[in-house]
Amino acid sequence: MQTIIAQAKKFVRDENGITALEYGMLAGLITVLIIASIASIGSTLQKVFSDVANTI
């Protein structure tokens, strides 16, 4: 019984899994921001090219 309690305490203090989870969440957030900015820039570029094509 003592070893189970000691292992449980060791598991609670271990932060390696938490660090990996934080990196995963950060990577996901960066991915969402990149996709949103590409979508925004894409629609803006389409408008610019349409304006240029209409002017020509």
Side-chain angles (χ1 to χ4, degrees):
M1 187 67 161
Q2 293 285 339
T3 59
I4 294 174
I5 294 172
Q7 288 176 350
K9 287 181 181 179
K10 182 179 176 183
F11 178 75
V12 170
R13 286 188 302 243
D14 186 21
E15 295 183 1
N16 289 333
I18 294 173
T19 302
L21 179 65
E22 290 170 351
Y23 282 129
M25 291 173 60
L26 184 60
L29 178 63
I30 290 171
T31 302
V32 168
L33 291 174
I34 288 172
I35 290 172
S37 64
I38 288 173
S40 174
I41 291 170
S43 62
T44 304
L45 283 177
Q46 183 178 6
K47 183 180 181 306
V48 169
F49 285 129
S50 294
D51 291 344
V52 170
N54 291 334
T55 303
I56 292 176

